[in-house]
Amino acid sequence: MARLARLEGASRGGDYPFPMSARAVPVALQQLPNALTVFRLLLIPVFVVLMLAADGGHSWPAGIVFAIAGVTDQIDGFLARRWRVESDFGRIADPLADRLMIDAAVIMLFIADHMPWAGLVIVLGRDIALMLGYKVIAPDGYELHVNLVGKAATWLLYAGIGFLIVTPRSTHWPYWIFWAGLVLAVAAGVVYAITARRESRR
């Protein structure tokens, strides 16, 4: 009876401990996670244009676009896992959209003299290293899974960069959030490399 009650609760949209089957989700909604990923990719040029029009890298419109990208980054991955509609496109495009948006933001802030060169080098260097590393590992069938450290790093980077975008250059506290996220991002990259190396040797 308890099991039946849980199943009935799930059919009514209640809290259920297991992901929803793709067959239970309308076909149109199954494309929503990928659509959100494409939407995030399209937001990147919009963000760049707004940053170019900003005064000293300080722009609320650009900050709002950046925040929307950060929120949809969490939503599309959650829905894909929840509905069991993860796709090869999503596995590649979702982290790519995430990296490109953050990279674009860091570059634009650096151009506006609102980002130290060390932050630019570390962020771009990490992303290039991850992409090159994945190219080497991918032919062996290795699938990169984001760990908790990587997720926390992404949240902190989005928060730190977002606050930098909407605050003047004289504001220093967003840098603490940014550097904390960057430290976690580097740590996550090391974990990915160690895990991938271990798996490739099996």
Side-chain angles (χ1 to χ4, degrees), residues 11-159:
S11 67
R12 293 192 298 267
D15 188 18
Y16 190 60
F18 300 104
M20 187 182 299
S21 171
R23 289 179 296 179
V25 180
V27 176
L29 283 181
Q30 290 180 24
Q31 301 303 317
L32 181 58
N34 284 343
L36 289 175
T37 298
V38 173
F39 174 67
R40 281 196 294 132
L41 287 168
L42 295 176
L43 283 180
I44 295 173
V46 176
F47 170 78
V48 171
V49 170
L50 291 173
M51 285 296 289
L52 288 173
D55 182 15
H58 173 217
S59 171
W60 272 100
I64 292 172
V65 170
F66 188 78
I68 292 173
V71 171
T72 54
D73 174 41
Q74 302 303 313
I75 293 175
D76 59 9
F78 170 79
L79 291 181
R81 292 186 298 271
R82 171 69 177 172
W83 294 345
R84 293 182 179 177
V85 292
E86 294 172 294
S87 64
D88 291 337
F89 171 81
R91 292 187 186 96
I92 296 174
D94 180 53
L96 179 64
D98 172 36
R99 298 270 67 83
L100 289 178
M101 177 59 83
I102 290 179
D103 290 348
V106 170
I107 291 171
M108 298 308 299
L109 286 171
F110 179 78
I111 292 174
D113 196 25
H114 201 8
M115 171 65 60
W117 66 267
L120 175 70
V121 170
I122 295 174
V123 169
L124 296 184
R126 172 187 177 270
D127 291 345
I128 292 173
L130 280 176
M131 286 189 291
L132 293 178
Y134 184 75
K135 284 292 185 181
V136 173
I137 297 169
D140 295 331
Y142 177 76
E143 185 175 333
L144 182 66
H145 295 282
V146 179
N147 56 36
L148 183 59
V149 177
K151 291 180 180 179
T154 300
W155 295 334
L156 287 175
L157 282 176
Y158 263 111

